[in-house]
Amino acid sequence: MNLTDRIVVVTGGAGGIGSALARRFAAEGAAAVVVADVNADAARAVAAAVGPVAHPAGVDVTDEEQVRALVADTEQKFGRIDLFCANAGVSTGGGVDAPDADWDRAWRVNVLSHVYTARAVLPAMLARGGGHLLMTCSAAGVLTAVGDAPYTATKHAAVAFAEWLAITYRDRGVRVSALCPQGVDTPMLSEGLAAGHLGAKVIAASGAVLTPDQVADSVIAGLAEERFLILPHPEVATYARRRAEDPDGWQAGLRKLVRRLTA
Ligand SMILES: NC(=O)c1ccc[n+]([C@@H]2O[C@H](COP(=O)([O-])OP(=O)(O)OC[C@H]3O[C@@H](n4cnc5c(N)ncnc54)[C@H](O)[C@@H]3O)[C@@H](O)[C@H]2O)c1
Protein backbone atom coordinates (compact mmCIF):
# COMPACT_ATOMS: atom_id res chain seq x y z
CA MET A 1 0.00 0.00 0.00
CA ASN A 2 1.14 3.53 -0.70
CA LEU A 3 -0.62 6.40 1.05
CA THR A 4 -1.61 8.58 -1.90
CA ASP A 5 -5.30 9.50 -1.69
CA ARG A 6 -5.89 7.03 1.15
CA ILE A 7 -8.43 7.40 3.92
CA VAL A 8 -6.69 6.62 7.19
CA VAL A 9 -7.68 6.43 10.86
CA VAL A 10 -5.09 6.50 13.66
CA THR A 11 -6.15 5.75 17.23
CA GLY A 12 -3.91 6.97 20.01
CA GLY A 13 -3.37 9.65 17.38
CA ALA A 14 -2.54 12.32 19.92
CA GLY A 15 0.34 10.31 21.37
CA GLY A 16 3.98 10.01 20.37
CA ILE A 17 3.82 7.29 17.72
CA GLY A 18 0.24 8.06 16.64
CA SER A 19 0.89 11.73 15.95
CA ALA A 20 4.06 10.87 13.99
CA LEU A 21 2.04 8.40 11.90
CA ALA A 22 -0.65 11.04 11.25
CA ARG A 23 1.97 13.61 10.18
CA ARG A 24 3.70 11.13 7.94
CA PHE A 25 0.51 9.83 6.29
CA ALA A 26 -0.49 13.42 5.48
CA ALA A 27 2.98 14.11 4.05
CA GLU A 28 2.68 10.96 1.90
CA GLY A 29 -0.48 12.33 0.28
CA ALA A 30 -3.33 10.72 2.23
CA ALA A 31 -6.71 12.25 1.36
CA ALA A 32 -7.90 12.17 4.98
CA VAL A 33 -6.28 11.27 8.29
CA VAL A 34 -8.62 10.88 11.25
CA VAL A 35 -6.67 11.59 14.44
CA ALA A 36 -8.63 9.71 17.11
CA ASP A 37 -7.78 9.71 20.79
CA VAL A 38 -9.44 9.48 24.20
CA ASN A 39 -7.82 12.86 24.82
CA ALA A 40 -10.03 14.82 22.40
CA ASP A 41 -8.32 18.17 23.05
CA ALA A 42 -4.92 16.71 22.24
CA ALA A 43 -6.37 15.04 19.12
CA ARG A 44 -7.66 18.46 18.00
CA ALA A 45 -4.25 20.05 18.55
CA VAL A 46 -2.46 17.28 16.61
CA ALA A 47 -4.97 17.47 13.74
CA ALA A 48 -4.57 21.26 13.56
CA ALA A 49 -0.78 20.88 13.41
CA VAL A 50 -0.96 18.16 10.73
CA GLY A 51 -3.06 20.34 8.43
CA PRO A 52 -6.29 20.37 6.42
CA VAL A 53 -6.38 16.63 5.61
CA ALA A 54 -6.43 15.81 9.33
CA HIS A 55 -9.70 15.46 11.24
CA PRO A 56 -9.83 15.08 15.03
CA ALA A 57 -12.10 12.58 16.77
CA GLY A 58 -12.62 11.76 20.42
CA VAL A 59 -12.80 8.02 21.02
CA ASP A 60 -12.30 5.64 23.89
CA VAL A 61 -11.21 2.46 22.12
CA THR A 62 -12.34 0.33 25.07
CA ASP A 63 -15.96 1.28 24.32
CA GLU A 64 -17.27 -0.79 21.39
CA GLU A 65 -20.05 1.70 20.59
CA GLN A 66 -17.51 4.52 20.28
CA VAL A 67 -15.26 2.43 18.00
CA ARG A 68 -18.25 1.51 15.86
CA ALA A 69 -19.27 5.19 15.67
CA LEU A 70 -15.74 6.27 14.71
CA VAL A 71 -15.69 3.77 11.85
CA ALA A 72 -19.26 4.56 10.71
CA ASP A 73 -18.67 8.35 10.81
CA THR A 74 -15.44 8.01 8.83
CA GLU A 75 -17.00 5.73 6.23
CA GLN A 76 -19.96 8.07 5.90
CA LYS A 77 -17.81 11.20 5.56
CA PHE A 78 -15.09 9.79 3.28
CA GLY A 79 -16.70 6.74 1.66
CA ARG A 80 -14.32 4.10 3.02
CA ILE A 81 -11.37 3.37 5.30
CA ASP A 82 -8.24 2.17 3.48
CA LEU A 83 -5.99 1.93 6.51
CA PHE A 84 -7.00 1.69 10.15
CA CYS A 85 -4.10 2.06 12.59
CA ALA A 86 -5.16 0.62 15.95
CA ASN A 87 -2.34 2.28 17.83
CA ALA A 88 -3.72 3.26 21.26
CA GLY A 89 -2.00 1.35 24.04
CA VAL A 90 -1.14 1.56 27.73
CA SER A 91 1.64 0.25 29.94
CA THR A 92 1.35 -0.34 33.69
CA GLY A 93 4.83 -0.89 35.15
CA GLY A 94 3.32 -3.58 37.37
CA GLY A 95 4.09 -7.22 38.14
CA VAL A 96 1.92 -10.04 39.48
CA ASP A 97 0.73 -7.72 42.25
CA ALA A 98 -0.52 -5.06 39.84
CA PRO A 99 -4.11 -4.28 40.86
CA ASP A 100 -6.87 -6.01 38.92
CA ALA A 101 -7.85 -2.58 37.61
CA ASP A 102 -4.47 -2.29 35.84
CA TRP A 103 -4.74 -5.82 34.38
CA ASP A 104 -8.25 -4.96 33.22
CA ARG A 105 -7.23 -1.65 31.63
CA ALA A 106 -4.28 -3.29 29.84
CA TRP A 107 -6.58 -6.05 28.55
CA ARG A 108 -9.23 -3.59 27.39
CA VAL A 109 -6.92 -1.08 25.69
CA ASN A 110 -4.23 -3.44 24.38
CA VAL A 111 -6.40 -6.38 23.28
CA LEU A 112 -10.17 -5.98 23.40
CA SER A 113 -10.02 -2.68 21.48
CA HIS A 114 -8.48 -4.60 18.55
CA VAL A 115 -11.40 -7.02 18.60
CA TYR A 116 -13.84 -4.08 18.54
CA THR A 117 -11.87 -2.51 15.68
CA ALA A 118 -11.85 -5.71 13.63
CA ARG A 119 -15.60 -6.15 14.12
CA ALA A 120 -16.21 -2.56 13.02
CA VAL A 121 -13.90 -2.32 9.98
CA LEU A 122 -14.06 -5.84 8.51
CA PRO A 123 -17.57 -5.78 7.00
CA ALA A 124 -16.85 -2.88 4.60
CA MET A 125 -13.28 -4.04 3.88
CA LEU A 126 -14.46 -7.57 3.07
CA ALA A 127 -17.31 -6.25 0.92
CA ARG A 128 -14.77 -4.15 -1.01
CA GLY A 129 -12.14 -6.90 -1.03
CA GLY A 130 -9.50 -4.46 0.25
CA GLY A 131 -8.21 -2.59 3.27
CA HIS A 132 -5.37 -2.70 5.74
CA LEU A 133 -5.44 -3.00 9.52
CA LEU A 134 -2.21 -1.98 11.26
CA MET A 135 -2.10 -2.94 14.93
CA THR A 136 0.56 -1.29 17.09
CA CYS A 137 1.62 -4.14 19.34
CA SER A 138 5.17 -4.06 20.70
CA ALA A 139 8.42 -6.00 20.81
CA ALA A 140 6.96 -6.98 24.20
CA GLY A 141 4.46 -9.04 22.19
CA VAL A 142 7.15 -11.22 20.62
CA LEU A 143 9.69 -11.07 23.47
CA THR A 144 8.90 -9.89 27.00
CA ALA A 145 8.60 -6.51 28.74
CA VAL A 146 10.65 -7.05 31.87
CA GLY A 147 8.97 -5.21 34.76
CA ASP A 148 5.51 -5.06 33.20
CA ALA A 149 3.52 -8.29 33.40
CA PRO A 150 0.15 -6.93 32.19
CA TYR A 151 1.83 -5.22 29.23
CA THR A 152 3.71 -8.40 28.26
CA ALA A 153 0.68 -10.67 28.51
CA THR A 154 -1.64 -8.33 26.63
CA LYS A 155 0.84 -7.43 23.88
CA HIS A 156 1.46 -11.16 23.28
CA ALA A 157 -2.31 -11.52 22.97
CA ALA A 158 -2.41 -8.58 20.54
CA VAL A 159 0.24 -10.14 18.27
CA ALA A 160 -1.60 -13.48 18.42
CA PHE A 161 -4.87 -11.81 17.46
CA ALA A 162 -3.18 -9.86 14.63
CA GLU A 163 -1.69 -13.11 13.27
CA TRP A 164 -5.07 -14.82 13.50
CA LEU A 165 -6.70 -11.99 11.55
CA ALA A 166 -3.92 -11.97 8.94
CA ILE A 167 -4.26 -15.69 8.26
CA THR A 168 -8.05 -15.62 8.27
CA TYR A 169 -8.65 -12.58 6.02
CA ARG A 170 -5.62 -12.15 3.73
CA ASP A 171 -7.08 -14.30 0.95
CA ARG A 172 -10.22 -12.16 1.07
CA GLY A 173 -8.23 -8.99 0.38
CA VAL A 174 -7.71 -7.60 3.89
CA ARG A 175 -4.10 -7.06 4.98
CA VAL A 176 -3.05 -7.04 8.63
CA SER A 177 0.26 -5.81 10.04
CA ALA A 178 1.63 -5.95 13.58
CA LEU A 179 3.92 -3.04 14.41
CA CYS A 180 6.36 -4.20 17.09
CA PRO A 181 8.84 -1.52 18.14
CA GLN A 182 11.18 -1.77 21.11
CA GLY A 183 12.03 1.58 22.78
CA VAL A 184 10.51 4.73 21.27
CA ASP A 185 10.95 8.22 22.68
CA THR A 186 7.35 9.02 23.65
CA PRO A 187 5.57 9.97 26.88
CA MET A 188 4.94 6.25 27.55
CA LEU A 189 8.68 5.59 27.84
CA SER A 190 9.75 8.92 29.36
CA GLU A 191 7.05 8.73 32.05
CA GLY A 192 8.15 5.15 32.86
CA LEU A 193 11.76 6.30 33.16
CA ALA A 194 10.74 9.29 35.33
CA ALA A 195 8.80 6.92 37.62
CA GLY A 196 11.87 4.65 37.87
CA HIS A 197 10.07 1.65 36.35
CA LEU A 198 12.40 -1.30 35.78
CA GLY A 199 10.72 -2.04 32.45
CA ALA A 200 11.52 1.43 31.10
CA LYS A 201 15.14 1.08 32.28
CA VAL A 202 15.48 -2.30 30.55
CA ILE A 203 14.06 -0.86 27.31
CA ALA A 204 16.45 2.08 27.43
CA ALA A 205 19.38 -0.31 28.06
CA SER A 206 18.36 -2.86 25.41
CA GLY A 207 19.15 -0.95 22.24
CA ALA A 208 18.41 2.20 20.31
CA VAL A 209 15.52 4.35 21.49
CA LEU A 210 13.99 5.49 18.20
CA THR A 211 12.12 8.70 17.50
CA PRO A 212 8.44 8.34 16.59
CA ASP A 213 9.36 9.66 13.12
CA GLN A 214 11.78 6.74 12.66
CA VAL A 215 8.94 4.37 13.57
CA ALA A 216 6.79 6.11 10.95
CA ASP A 217 9.56 5.49 8.36
CA SER A 218 9.40 1.76 9.16
CA VAL A 219 5.62 1.78 8.90
CA ILE A 220 5.73 3.36 5.44
CA ALA A 221 8.29 0.74 4.31
CA GLY A 222 6.35 -2.13 5.90
CA LEU A 223 3.06 -1.03 4.34
CA ALA A 224 4.72 -0.67 0.92
CA GLU A 225 5.96 -4.27 1.21
CA GLU A 226 2.67 -5.44 2.75
CA ARG A 227 4.62 -7.10 5.55
CA PHE A 228 2.86 -8.68 8.51
CA LEU A 229 5.56 -8.04 11.09
CA ILE A 230 6.91 -4.48 11.05
CA LEU A 231 10.04 -4.23 13.20
CA PRO A 232 11.49 -0.71 13.48
CA HIS A 233 14.29 -2.34 15.54
CA PRO A 234 15.46 -5.14 13.20
CA GLU A 235 17.42 -6.77 16.06
CA VAL A 236 14.06 -7.82 17.55
CA ALA A 237 13.92 -10.54 14.85
CA THR A 238 17.29 -11.87 16.07
CA TYR A 239 16.14 -11.82 19.71
CA ALA A 240 12.89 -13.61 18.75
CA ARG A 241 14.86 -16.29 16.91
CA ARG A 242 17.16 -16.77 19.92
CA ARG A 243 14.16 -16.94 22.24
CA ALA A 244 12.55 -19.64 20.07
CA GLU A 245 15.73 -21.68 19.64
CA ASP A 246 17.05 -21.45 23.20
CA PRO A 247 14.42 -20.14 25.65
CA ASP A 248 16.55 -20.87 28.73
CA GLY A 249 19.64 -19.17 27.31
CA TRP A 250 17.60 -16.17 26.21
CA GLN A 251 15.98 -15.82 29.64
CA ALA A 252 19.41 -16.11 31.31
CA GLY A 253 20.65 -13.20 29.19
CA LEU A 254 17.70 -11.03 30.22
CA ARG A 255 18.10 -11.98 33.90
CA LYS A 256 21.75 -10.90 33.68
CA LEU A 257 20.71 -7.52 32.26
CA VAL A 258 18.17 -7.05 35.06
CA ARG A 259 20.80 -7.94 37.72
CA ARG A 260 23.13 -5.36 36.21
CA LEU A 261 20.41 -2.67 36.18
CA THR A 262 19.22 -3.36 39.72
CA ALA A 263 22.67 -3.88 41.36
N1 LIG B 1 6.99 4.10 23.42
C1 LIG B 1 7.46 2.87 23.31
O1 LIG B 1 8.61 2.60 23.70
C2 LIG B 1 6.61 1.81 22.68
C3 LIG B 1 7.25 0.60 22.32
C4 LIG B 1 6.49 -0.42 21.74
C5 LIG B 1 5.14 -0.24 21.51
N2 LIG B 1 4.54 0.92 21.88
C6 LIG B 1 3.10 1.04 21.62
O2 LIG B 1 2.89 2.13 20.75
C7 LIG B 1 1.54 2.60 20.91
C8 LIG B 1 1.57 4.11 21.05
O3 LIG B 1 2.24 4.44 22.27
P1 LIG B 1 3.18 5.71 22.46
O4 LIG B 1 4.52 5.23 22.78
O5 LIG B 1 2.97 6.66 21.32
O6 LIG B 1 2.56 6.24 23.82
P2 LIG B 1 1.78 7.58 24.19
O7 LIG B 1 1.42 7.40 25.61
O8 LIG B 1 2.54 8.77 23.73
O9 LIG B 1 0.46 7.49 23.28
C9 LIG B 1 -0.62 6.64 23.54
C10 LIG B 1 -1.88 7.38 23.13
O10 LIG B 1 -2.97 6.47 23.28
C11 LIG B 1 -4.06 7.21 23.83
N3 LIG B 1 -4.97 6.29 24.51
C12 LIG B 1 -4.77 5.62 25.67
N4 LIG B 1 -5.87 4.93 26.02
C13 LIG B 1 -6.79 5.17 25.05
C14 LIG B 1 -8.12 4.76 24.85
N5 LIG B 1 -8.76 3.98 25.74
N6 LIG B 1 -8.78 5.19 23.74
C15 LIG B 1 -8.15 5.99 22.85
N7 LIG B 1 -6.89 6.45 23.00
C16 LIG B 1 -6.22 6.03 24.08
C17 LIG B 1 -3.41 8.18 24.79
O11 LIG B 1 -4.27 9.28 25.11
C18 LIG B 1 -2.17 8.60 24.01
O12 LIG B 1 -2.42 9.74 23.21
C19 LIG B 1 0.98 1.86 22.11
O13 LIG B 1 0.17 0.79 21.68
C20 LIG B 1 2.23 1.33 22.81
O14 LIG B 1 1.97 0.18 23.58
C21 LIG B 1 5.25 1.94 22.45
Side-chain angles (χ1 to χ4, degrees):
M1 168 180 279
N2 73 55
L3 271 298
T4 313
D5 293 331
R6 299 296 188 181
I7 309 297
V8 186
V9 178
V10 184
T11 70
I17 294 173
S19 58
L21 290 177
R23 269 196 309 278
R24 186 61 188 271
F25 294 151
E28 294 283 326
V33 181
V34 178
V35 179
D37 203 285
V38 71
N39 184 340
D41 288 341
R44 259 191 296 278
V46 169
V50 168
V53 298
H55 305 267
V59 69
D60 179 349
V61 296
T62 66
D63 180 331
E64 183 163 21
E65 269 316 305
Q66 292 189 34
V67 174
R68 224 197 296 265
L70 171 69
V71 169
D73 289 351
T74 307
E75 287 173 347
Q76 194 188 16
K77 223 183 270 174
F78 303 107
R80 63 185 193 280
I81 295 174
D82 296 304
L83 171 64
F84 192 106
C85 300
N87 168 77
V90 289
S91 59
T92 76
V96 289
D97 294 328
D100 283 5
D102 285 3
W103 281 95
D104 189 55
R105 197 167 66 101
W107 164 250
R108 289 177 170 280
V109 181
N110 295 345
V111 186
L112 209 51
S113 71
H114 294 302
V115 179
Y116 296 156
T117 296
R119 285 181 189 154
V121 299
L122 278 172
M125 286 185 178
L126 289 172
R128 230 178 45 247
H132 202 123
L133 179 55
L134 174 89
M135 294 166 52
T136 304
C137 303
S138 172
V142 288
L143 302 170
T144 214
V146 174
D148 199 328
Y151 193 75
T152 300
T154 55
K155 289 295 186 176
H156 270 259
V159 172
F161 182 57
E163 186 174 88
W164 187 93
L165 289 172
I167 291 167
T168 305
Y169 293 106
R170 172 70 194 247
D171 290 344
R172 294 168 68 187
V174 178
R175 265 77 171 163
V176 179
S177 297
L179 170 62
C180 294
Q182 204 164 236
V184 187
D185 187 10
T186 71
M188 182 179 282
L189 182 58
S190 56
E191 284 163 16
L193 284 171
H197 288 162
L198 174 64
K201 287 189 208 164
V202 171
I203 290 168
S206 293
V209 172
L210 300 183
T211 65
D213 288 331
Q214 287 174 306
V215 175
D217 289 342
S218 290
V219 167
I220 295 297
L223 290 174
E225 292 170 16
E226 294 185 346
R227 251 185 287 126
F228 170 69
L229 201 53
I230 300 181
L231 299 177
H233 301 74
E235 63 270 30
V236 168
T238 310
Y239 302 154
R241 216 170 8 250
R242 255 184 233 154
R243 173 178 175 270
E245 285 166 4
D246 178 16
D248 297 295
W250 178 75
Q251 288 178 22
L254 261 184
R255 292 201 313 272
K256 195 168 154 193
L257 175 63
V258 170
R259 280 198 300 275
R260 183 162 68 72
L261 290 172
T262 52

